[in-house]
Amino acid sequence: QLQLVQSGSEVKKPGASVKVSCKGSGYTFAGYKMHWLRHVPGQGLQWMGAMNPESGGTNYAQRLKGRVTMTSDTALNTAFMELRRLEPDDTAVYYCAISWTLEDGIFNFWGQGTLVSVS
Amino acid sequence: DIVMTQSPDSLAVSLGERATITCRSSQNLFYSFNNKNYLAWYQHKSGQRPKLLLYWSSTRASGVPDRFSGSGSGTDFTLTISRLQPEDVAVYFCQQYYSTPRTFGQGTKVEVK
């Protein structure tokens, strides 16, 4: 069955970088954009951006441009999200998600989440 | 960016009773070329991943019980849980996918009274 499995929790100092991975299985990895979102305590869900594994094309949220990079390794069916110059406000649960067989932007499959704590 | 605003921020409903959440968008989410509203609803339980409930404003996702229903068009939408069950305790989010960046409402916490 379709699964998105993310890497484990991270604790980082302000100014550091974090790289979260998301391994897809049970579907054609290169055929679907990988979106990244985060749930910031008290602020709800935020869309961070998306990447096309087939083309490598990316679309980032304006608020994160310059700090975030989304990549993938199609041989490993794995997507990566790197966030640099971390701030305490980046403390959140980070999710990868796809719109499988639905309109892009309807997130029907999610990873289990990766807690990133910055302090 | 399209701003999504939900109300209320929280509500407590007796088991078996109806829960109603509203969502308002700052821009029209109805696309006339296909007669669809680009609005989804998610359920997010503590410690779990978000779960898609409804899309196109009123289409239930696979496996979602029929006590969950959605309505509305343009800028005003509603999620209704017709008979609240204990497993429905969660935070509910609306989300627009009409344009990028995708944006979410701030969430509505549903509890049992």
Side-chain angles (χ1 to χ4, degrees):
Chain A
Q1 72 280 24
L2 196 157
Q3 279 192 305
L4 298 173
V5 179
Q6 299 181 221
S7 49
S9 299
E10 303 263 11
V11 179
K12 296 292 182 180
K13 297 286 188 187
S17 298
V18 68
K19 193 168 186 177
V20 179
S21 68
C22 172
K23 183 175 176 61
S25 61
Y27 73 104
T28 305
F29 179 81
Y32 297 89
K33 285 183 187 176
M34 184 65 75
H35 294 259
W36 290 90
L37 306 98
R38 66 183 183 179
H39 191 188
V40 180
Q43 294 188 37
L45 285 163
Q46 298 176 357
W47 180 81
M48 300 176 67
M51 77 151 304
N52 184 327
E54 189 168 41
S55 67
T58 55
N59 185 3
Y60 300 138
Q62 186 67 35
R63 71 168 77 188
L64 295 173
K65 272 185 180 175
R67 290 208 296 140
V68 67
T69 302
M70 296 175 188
T71 57
S72 69
D73 184 332
T74 53
L76 297 177
N77 286 350
T78 301
F80 303 93
M81 185 283 298
E82 182 180 32
L83 190 60
R84 300 177 293 279
R85 301 192 299 278
L86 289 167
E87 306 163 359
D89 285 350
D90 293 317
T91 295
V93 178
Y94 289 76
Y95 295 97
C96 57
I98 65 169
S99 306
W100 185 66
T101 72
L102 295 177
E103 179 85 11
D104 183 57
I106 304 173
F107 306 121
N108 56 340
F109 282 92
W110 297 66
Q112 83 275 20
T114 297
L115 175 63
V116 176
S117 299
V118 184
S119 64
Chain B
D1 297 3
I2 297 177
V3 177
M4 307 298 291
T5 305
Q6 292 179 227
S7 63
D9 289 335
S10 65
L11 76 161
V13 176
S14 300
L15 291 175
E17 296 300 306
R18 176 181 302 232
T20 302
I21 300 168
T22 62
C23 173
R24 174 165 288 178
S25 60
S26 63
Q27 296 179 33
N28 186 6
L29 302 183
F30 180 75
Y31 210 167
S32 57
F33 99 99
N34 62 2
N35 283 333
K36 292 186 174 183
N37 287 282
Y38 284 59
L39 188 282
W41 288 96
Y42 298 85
Q43 177 191 65
H44 194 187
K45 296 182 180 181
S46 180
Q48 297 185 20
R49 67 199 77 192
K51 175 186 175 182
L52 175 68
L53 291 177
L54 301 155
Y55 55 99
W56 301 129
S57 174
S58 61
T59 301
R60 272 187 296 275
S62 177
V64 174
D66 61 8
R67 65 179 179 273
F68 292 93
S69 63
S71 62
S73 183
T75 61
D76 294 286
F77 302 90
T78 300
L79 169 68
T80 301
I81 310 172
S82 60
R83 298 170 303 278
L84 191 76
Q85 301 299 304
E87 61 267 30
D88 300 335
V89 170
V91 178
Y92 293 83
F93 293 94
C94 60
Q95 177 233 332
Q96 64 81 20
Y97 47 99
Y98 186 91
S99 65
T100 300
R102 315 311 191 180
T103 50
F104 293 80
Q106 79 277 16
T108 296
K109 186 175 184 179
V110 174
E111 299 173 306
V112 174
K113 186 186 293 183

